[in-house]
Amino acid sequence: MRIAVTGSTGLIGSALVSSLRADGHDVVRLVRRAPRAGDEVSWDPERRWVDTAGLAGCEAVVHMAAKGIGVGPWTESYKRALWDSRVHGTAAVARAVAELDDPRPVLVSGSAIGYYGDTGDVRTDESGPPGRGFLAELVQEWEAATAPAQEAGARTVLARTGLVVARGGGAWGKLFPVFQAGVGGRLGSGRQYWSHIALHDHIAALRHILDTPALSGPVNLTAPEPVTNREASAAMGRVLHRPALLPVPAPVLRLVLRDFADDVLGSQRIVPAKLLGSGFRFAFPDIDDAIRAALERRLPHTA
């Protein structure tokens, strides 16, 4: 299969490219500069432009490029950068897919469970309503930007990702050195649900989506049983053999993270109904096993 990937240097994109290539797939990487290799195609998300000629023959486009949510405090300028990187980039990719000849490639577009807002302790699947607040509204616009591809008849999947348990990047990657130093602990009350997924399972789920024509629309990429922040913190301590006794009070988080603190302290008990219903099996559904898999940097291969 010939597959185009944006965000190929990021946590998820790089892991996906490695997994696909290990199984012999032809991967095209979209880059924001002039191509330097035969597997590269230029695009400019700010100008909403893609060199569509480079996508010829692709059976799928996996769009994972976006500015990191938890990289810095949510100042107004940072929130604008988050918005632009997601909405403009997705619009560019969706339009490029729409311009390609039939049969158009499948579009798997990165999204987030932030769509649902704070769900408290209510188990919520893909049928759940949209939430309120900056992140929920951002995700809704982010997903709406895929409209050109959908209207052109391309199978379009909105991969609503939870907290990816990985050591090499992302929000969870920042937790490892903290807990390894023995200064980790719950955030706020610790009662808020964290819907996690092992990086191994996230990549396997993306590949399952590519291979499952019945899947379209929103698909939650989270483990079957979300855990609370207190449970996740305890698991980090167990697996790393370190104490996890130093809580971070909510006021401190709000001082450091500004608006982003509301999302860290918020609760999302999101479940992957569509993945499970389509026959996908998680290799690391348990939080302890997901953390161990992150330490081993395991990735799926199917060949």
Side-chain angles (χ1 to χ4, degrees), residues 27-38:
V27 179
V28 175
R29 298 179 298 116
L30 273 67
V31 296
R32 306 182 195 196
R33 52 172 170 72
R36 298 173 187 165

Side-chain angles (χ1 to χ4, degrees), residues 172 175-176 178-186 229-246 287-288 291-292 295:
W172 208 291
L175 296 178
F176 275 98
V178 174
F179 279 86
Q180 286 173 326
V183 293
R186 61 176 170 81
N229 171 257
R230 185 187 296 272
E231 291 168 337
S233 298
M236 288 287 283
R238 282 194 302 272
V239 175
L240 298 175
H241 306 292
R242 294 290 190 276
L245 304 174
L246 297 177
I287 184 61
D288 290 62
I291 295 168
R292 292 189 187 97
L295 291 173

Side-chain angles (χ1 to χ4, degrees), residues 40-287:
E40 296 181 345
V41 173
S42 290
W43 78 309
D44 187 336
E46 293 182 3
R47 290 173 47 218
R48 309 184 196 189
W49 172 83
V50 177
D51 179 7
T52 53
L55 302 183
C58 286
E59 297 171 67
V61 176
V62 183
H63 174 46
M64 291 288 129
K67 190 174 183 65
I69 287 287
V71 174
W74 281 13
T75 61
E76 289 305 312
S77 62
Y78 189 72
K79 288 195 287 186
R80 172 48 58 185
L82 289 174
W83 193 284
D84 291 347
S85 74
R86 283 161 173 73
V87 177
H88 293 176
T90 301
V93 171
R95 288 171 184 166
V97 169
E99 291 172 8
L100 295 172
D101 295 332
D102 282 329
R104 292 182 176 84
V106 176
L107 172 60
V108 179
S109 188
S111 184
I113 60 172
Y115 172 92
Y116 304 103
D118 190 332
T119 65
D121 61 358
V122 177
R123 291 173 64 88
T124 303
D125 63 17
E126 290 87 352
S127 65
R132 297 180 180 179
F134 171 76
L135 185 57
E137 293 167 8
L138 166 57
V139 176
Q140 291 162 46
E141 288 295 320
W142 186 9
E143 293 186 350
T146 64
Q150 297 184 57
E151 292 167 359
R155 179 166 72 94
T156 303
V157 179
L158 307 169
R160 291 179 179 166
T161 300
L163 285 166
V164 179
V165 184
R167 190 178 183 182
W172 208 291
K174 296 180 179 181
L175 296 178
F176 275 98
V178 174
F179 279 86
Q180 286 173 326
V183 293
R186 61 176 170 81
L187 303 180
S189 70
R191 291 191 296 269
Q192 68 272 31
Y193 276 93
W194 276 18
S195 296
H196 67 283
I197 183 170
L199 178 60
H200 177 289
D201 284 336
H202 191 286
I203 301 306
L206 289 174
R207 297 191 57 173
H208 175 78
I209 288 169
L210 291 173
D211 295 335
T212 309
L215 285 173
S216 64
V219 177
N220 293 336
L221 272 62
T222 59
E225 293 297 334
V227 297
T228 65
N229 171 257
R230 185 187 296 272
E231 291 168 337
S233 298
M236 288 287 283
R238 282 194 302 272
V239 175
L240 298 175
H241 306 292
R242 294 290 190 276
L245 304 174
L246 297 177
V248 181
V252 173
L253 284 171
R254 290 195 169 92
L255 178 65
V256 174
L257 299 179
R258 298 192 183 185
D259 291 350
F260 184 41
D262 291 333
D263 289 277
V264 172
L265 296 168
S267 182
Q268 292 193 299
R269 196 176 185 181
I270 311 303
V271 294
K274 281 191 173 181
L275 273 182
L276 294 173
S278 66
F280 180 75
R281 292 188 176 184
F282 287 81
F284 305 102
D286 180 78
I287 184 61

